[in-house]
Amino acid sequence: MSYQVLARKWRPRSFREMVGQAHVLKALINALDNQRLHHAYLFTGTRGVGKTTIARIIAKCLNCETGITSTPCGTCSVCREIDEGRFVDLIEIDAASRTKVEDTRELLDNVQYAPSRGRFKVYLIDEVHMLSTHSFNALLKTLEEPPPYVKFILATTDPQKLPATILSRCLQFSLKNMSPERVVEHLSHVLQAENVPFEPDALWLLGRAADGSMRDAMSLTDQAIAFGEGKVLAADVRAMLGSLDHGQVYGVLQALLEGDARALLEAVRNLAEQGPDWSGVLAEMLNVLHRVAIAQALPEAVDNGQGDRDRVLALASALPAEDVQFYYQMGLIGRRDLPLAPDPRGGFEMVLLRMLAFRPADTDDAPKPVLKPVGISQATADPATPVAAPAVAAEAPAAAPAQPAPVAPAPQAEVAPVMAPAPEPEPEPEPEPEPEPEPEVVAPEPVAVEEVIDLPWEEPAAPPAPEPVTAPAPAPVAAAQSAQPVYDEPPFDPSAYASAGMDRDDEPPMDEDYYGGESDPVGFSYLDELAEHVEEETPVAAPEPLPAAQPATGLALQWLELFPQLPVSGMTGNIAANCTLMAADGDDWLLHLDPGQGALFNSTQQRRLNEALNQHLGRTLNLRIELIRPEQETPAQAASRKRAERQQGAVLSIEQDPLIQQMIKQFGATVRQDTIEPVDALVSQGQ
């Protein structure tokens, strides 16, 4: 007797022998038991999940000699003939080989004849999506109203290609993929019945390789039995499938955990001796990292199907959760970009070295091993380290602190005006200079303040020439000016912020030099992904400033006039635009910054703003900035208010225009206010 493969020998012959698909079987069993039979069924799902098997069982249920039932006897002549594939009233049609409309017409010509032996003539059309459009049209009428003794069962792996007219005439059942656990359970039952020795790890390898198809799992099991000379062993199955030994994956992860680049490259060399698929190696690493993440969240949820539960739990306790997530994301991106590498092995090594170099910064509450000094950049710069000032700035008479402690603002009644006379220039600092007495603050005579200057927020023209608002600088300013840092930045142009409503999504992080390279073709770049692990702060776009509680007066008004003259730009200019001057006690100045800009503010911005004030005023100030919402209007709020007033005036001008009003009355026209822009805004855009 010839050998019969497992996939055919163990094909289910009744609903109770089916594995999985309970949601489909329940509906069919209830319909058969209650005699509520439809004339057309459509089964969809991937290959090897039971579409044709269910169709043959339905044919047996309808034509069994014991009657219409959900439990056919399996012993009558009809059941045996259907099992053997020779029942005359079960017409199985391969739509992939009979796509022409002539084939469909020939089929329909025989529909009118009554069944020869059974109660029903069952037409099983497999891969029905392969029929041509004319064939579908020819089938429509018969499929909608067939004779009472005819049942249609359609099966397809691609239901999206079926016309809606076909779908609306059928009861549709979607069959699910088989999970690896269900496949392993069924294979264990089959091999025990076949008296074939096996290892559970081998069945898990077969279950994952089947990719949801029970037929594929049975075929692979047949191949594994032949490969292992009558046994199904994990080593043989791994060699047959060309899959990777999990022990080597754990070796790679252990080298990452220890930060040992030498061991990491040695593990890659051992892998290369097997000639693996490097994308598959990354996939295995991702599977292990996935199980490690599950173990960290819920240890009891980790199964031991692969015999490595203890190793997974050990990794889960040794690796911090953020490292696991970072390695997983890095592996996903590396697997996506692996085809772009000049050499697959080199690309795989670069993914591992990138994981090693850009691992997250250490935290105090997570057990993390120290990286070994193997020449790999740890790329975990301490963001708290102050940025070194330029060499020229080191020669300044006094240096502002990197991050002064917050000090409560002085009451307004005790604040000295900003016009106080500047003190005499201090002598050159000695190694240990003695503290000098604070200069006497003399209140100046009231100065008539001109009308508030309209900031060049919306104006394209060059900013006005610098004109200090404070009292004249002291005579010997040459030495002080020579000690100030030289700025190469262009004057701050607030018009760039006005057009975007102070909502700049493209601000460079930390106000450092920024290069916006070409965008990633897939919409995701390595640099964007790694920046989250090497930067302490995430750049946040400046929001649209809210209206001020009070109009600017006194020091706040003087800051409005001083701000356009400062040589600041970029993020430093944005910080200055959202500040207001609260106190000016001689050379000690206090600014209040809107807390909404706190994500953009750091010691670097404070230092640059301080140096810009020193350069403009010709003396050294001690600047402090506190994150307190200003009560009086800031330059950004003033620009926003002026912009809103211009916009409102433009809208009012359009609505009151006689021609516009005439068009509204005669043609029922409407005015889209979102398309109205002030004339000065259009001029600034070159229109």
Side-chain angles (χ1 to χ4, degrees), residues 38 41 57 104 108 114 123 144 152 194 199 212 240 244 295 304 418 424 452 472 504 507 521 542 562 600 649:
H38 202 271
Y41 297 89
I57 295 175
T104 304
L108 298 177
Y123 287 90
E144 182 178 7
F152 285 97
E194 293 286 333
E199 292 180 351
M240 180 190 75
L244 189 66
N304 196 30
V418 71
E424 292 294 328
V452 180
R504 299 269 294 180
E507 283 292 347
L562 176 63
L600 305 176

Side-chain angles (χ1 to χ4, degrees), residues 473-484:
V477 298
Q481 290 181 349
S482 62
Q484 302 304 322

Side-chain angles (χ1 to χ4, degrees), residues 49-67:
V49 294
K51 300 185 295 297
T52 305
T53 298
I54 293 178
R56 292 178 179 176
I57 295 175
I58 291 176
K60 291 170 62 176
C61 294
L62 295 175
N63 292 291
C64 182
E65 293 180 357
T66 60

